[in-house]
Amino acid sequence: MEEQVTDQEEKTKEEISAVTREFSRDAPPILHLLVVGFHHKKGCQVEYSYPPLCPTSPSESHECPEMWKNLPSLAMPDGSHNFVEDTVYFHLPSMAHPGKTVYGVSSYRQIEAKMLSKKTADITRSTVQKAVCVLSNLPLYGHIQVKMGLITEAYFREGDFTQFMLLHDAYNNLNMCLNPDLLNSTQAIIGLPLREMLERFGHKVVQLFKLILLQKRVLFFHSPVRPLSTSILAMLALFPGVVESGLDNCTALASQPESVLAETVEVPKQFIPPPDEEPVGTSSSQNQSSVYNGLTEKLSSWKDKLAGGTKSAGTPPCVDTTDDSKVSRESSFEDLRAPTAQEMENEKSGRISPSIVAGLPNEDCGLPLQLFGNGYLCHPYLSLSYLDLLTEPNIHGYIVGATNVLFKQKKSLFDVIIELETGRIDIPDPELRRQLELTKEDMRFADHIVRLVVQDRTSNTFLDGVGWEGGDEWLRAEFKTYLLFMLRTSLMDDGCKYLDEFNPAFIQAWKATNNYTKWLETTHPAVLELHPGHMFSGQLSISDVKLKISQITQTMQNTEKGRKISNAAASTSRAVAQTSKVVGGAITQAKGAFSSWWSTFHTQPTEATEEAEEALGPNGMRMSDIDLTE
């Protein structure tokens, strides 16, 4: 008996040692390449793994490590039998480095059994469903998916699922062509539909951007999985550096120690330069330093242009909460002011180009923000098997994607439910709706990016995405600039007028989050050089009213109240257009047309209020905020 126990202990130590070697720093970019199939009696299961998931088991073993027991249900998503093909991006916790993330890409196919040249005993149905899956150390989702699509197509074309040499060759090929340097290029976001997502949600993208900063419990719902998982990652790609390096700890629970969370991403040995060579990061840091110096010179030149035109006369200064030791009051940037919407439309106004501000090095700005880790999770797709995971007490917030309707029915697990197909954002909590309400400056920013992206995609289909404005990198630059000005403004004292431009309720809630607390722990010189305020600050105009009405009608367009709002907006526009100067009778007529409808809107207060609140809830906007007298 004693001898049997000793043998068992030795076997356990051998397995642990083998797993550790597999996930050591000598591990290649691709950890495993798997085949997951659907068995008519056992359900989804791993049919083959190279290298084996459990080192002591054969490659054909169906066993999965305990931490990855739900891997088959992720590779073959819920409802996959309804689709001929699909792609899934998912995350798993690392077995050797607790708190770290392993990135999964699964390519699913369904074909008729009669197309196979060799049938095995487990094929008893008229169709065959399988997925070829990759587990990687690097978050190169789209880059891997393109190659996996070709590999899966070739594997199915063979007609014989016992021919595994193709998978061995694919594993070796992927490890030869993937390396961490790709994360520093556009390859990190290739295949992520940034502009398609903007067209789907429109102005509400800015609202979603702010929602992610609040680290709430968010569910994205859609089927099939590919547009679901890619849209979630595309939304995260708007945050500088998050997709590239901000998901390293996105499976870490709150109970795991901070020392583990601070570990760096493991780098394959073949990509580590020898001691006598210059490290890759050295030249990169020097280049970023030179770029930053060049940017400061450009920003200094903007200061001279903007000193007289963009600074409001007679405006009482706000109190800055940053320490004098962190930033000099005599900085050459102290008069730099975020441009107004009118200045943006006029090239001679001297608007600071977002490409200049967005070019500031991330490390000098405290980016990427630590949106995930230590109890804040990100799963682009979760199967039904993971539903209980969300009830764990050491999970504080998450962004997850699901296709199973049972997730939507568990409303108590989510603060926000987003339906991808309709673009509806359901926010039951009135306080959260108030925090996510867009200011007039936010609305201008949203209109600016939506207008340019849609214009870029419709003006010339052949050259779609080729130009800078309206492209993916341009869109990321715009949101980085927006985030940097918002970070700078958040350092101001409560009551400062600049906070109103980003919604004080949102700023207050954001300051209480884990990611903002982490960002505030260190100084960020590049952010401190910016003047607080919004990129699109300026006086209220009739265009702002039309923008807000437009957003309201998007959620009420199929209701009677929505049609009344549209008619009121049209009447107001016609009244203003009758005169070149909005004075006297014209403004009276415009206000009269709007007020006439507004009074009828309140004739049935109970019914109107209930319907308006239900319709406007997702957008978090109220008609009472519109004031034509300003």
Side-chain angles (χ1 to χ4, degrees), residues 77 217 233 241 267 333 344 346 350 360 387 402 407 520-521 535 545 585 589 606 629:
R217 303 174 301 166
L233 293 171
V267 181
F333 303 100
M344 179 204 66
N346 187 352
L360 297 174
L387 189 57
F407 277 86
L520 205 59
E521 288 178 354
M535 296 164 56
V545 176
Q589 183 180 356
T606 304
T629 61

Side-chain angles (χ1 to χ4, degrees), residues 207 427-440 443 500 503-506 540 544-556 565 594 597-598 601-602 608-628 630:
Q207 193 177 31
I427 309 176
D429 183 15
E431 179 61 24
L432 182 56
R433 288 204 303 268
R434 186 174 72 89
Q435 293 168 3
L436 295 176
E437 189 172 327
L438 299 182
T439 64
K440 67 178 186 295
M443 293 292 293
D500 296 338
N503 186 345
F506 165 77
L540 183 69
D544 298 316
V545 176
K546 292 167 66 176
L547 274 177
K548 180 161 281 192
I549 291 176
S550 173
Q551 296 313 297
I552 294 173
T553 55
Q554 282 185 9
T555 56
M556 297 180 64
I565 293 175
F594 195 85
W597 166 79
W598 189 250
F601 184 74
H602 285 284
T609 301
E610 291 179 353
E611 184 173 355
E613 286 182 353
E614 179 181 359
L616 302 185
N619 269 344
M621 289 178 281
R622 302 188 299 271
M623 283 300 302
S624 58
D625 292 333
I626 302 176
D627 187 1
L628 287 174
E630 293 187 35

Side-chain angles (χ1 to χ4, degrees), residues 283-531:
S283 58
S284 175
S285 300
Q286 291 175 349
N287 290 338
Q288 287 184 328
S289 178
S290 61
V291 169
Y292 180 69
N293 291 335
L295 289 171
T296 55
E297 293 178 3
K298 292 181 180 180
L299 290 173
S300 296
S301 65
W302 281 109
K303 176 256 182 182
D304 297 332
K305 296 181 180 180
L306 299 178
T310 62
K311 196 172 182 180
S312 302
T315 302
C318 296
V319 180
D320 196 337
T321 60
T322 55
D323 196 341
D324 286 345
S325 62
K326 297 180 180 179
V327 56
S328 172
R329 297 300 180 185
E330 298 180 356
S331 170
S332 60
F333 303 100
E334 62 182 358
D335 294 327
L336 183 60
R337 180 68 179 90
T340 64
Q342 291 79 7
E343 291 171 336
M344 179 204 66
E345 299 295 339
N346 187 352
E347 293 183 0
K348 296 182 179 180
S349 65
R351 175 180 184 256
I352 302 175
S353 172
S355 61
I356 295 179
V357 179
L360 297 174
N362 283 350
E363 57 269 26
D364 289 345
C365 303
L367 304 176
L369 296 176
Q370 297 184 33
L371 298 174
F372 304 106
N374 200 21
Y376 295 93
L377 311 181
C378 175
H379 289 282
Y381 171 71
L382 279 185
S383 60
L384 190 59
S385 307
Y386 276 88
L387 189 57
D388 292 338
L389 170 71
L390 304 181
T391 62
E392 294 289 335
N394 52 358
I395 294 179
H396 308 312
Y398 39 77
I399 297 175
V400 300
T403 61
N404 197 305
V405 71
L406 292 179
F407 277 86
K408 287 178 61 179
Q409 295 175 0
K410 297 286 186 179
K411 293 184 180 296
S412 61
L413 294 178
F414 306 103
D415 300 313
V416 180
I417 298 179
I418 302 164
E419 296 190 32
L420 207 60
E421 184 173 359
T422 61
R424 177 180 173 83
I425 305 175
D426 185 16
I427 309 176
D429 183 15
E431 179 61 24
L432 182 56
R433 288 204 303 268
R434 186 174 72 89
Q435 293 168 3
L436 295 176
E437 189 172 327
L438 299 182
T439 64
K440 67 178 186 295
E441 291 82 6
D442 287 337
M443 293 292 293
R444 292 169 185 167
F445 171 60
D447 182 66
H448 167 65
I449 58 176
V450 170
R451 181 161 38 83
L452 283 181
V453 168
V454 173
Q455 176 182 330
D456 178 67
R457 292 180 64 84
T458 57
S459 60
N460 194 329
T461 306
F462 181 75
L463 297 176
D464 179 30
V466 174
W468 165 250
E469 278 198 349
D472 288 349
E473 289 301 321
W474 173 85
L475 191 58
R476 297 186 80 194
E478 290 283 328
F479 272 96
K480 179 177 179 179
T481 304
Y482 174 77
L483 178 61
L484 290 179
F485 277 113
M486 187 158 58
L487 284 167
R488 180 64 184 93
T489 305
S490 69
L491 299 175
M492 309 305 292
D493 271 345
D494 294 342
C496 175
K497 69 184 180 95
Y498 295 135
L499 295 176
D500 296 338
E501 299 175 357
F502 290 101
N503 186 345
F506 165 77
I507 296 294
Q508 193 67 27
W510 185 26
K511 287 183 176 181
T513 63
N514 182 69
N515 72 82
Y516 186 87
T517 303
K518 292 287 186 182
W519 180 81
L520 205 59
E521 288 178 354
T522 57
T523 59
H524 312 292
V527 175
L528 296 175
E529 295 289 2
L530 299 175
H531 192 289

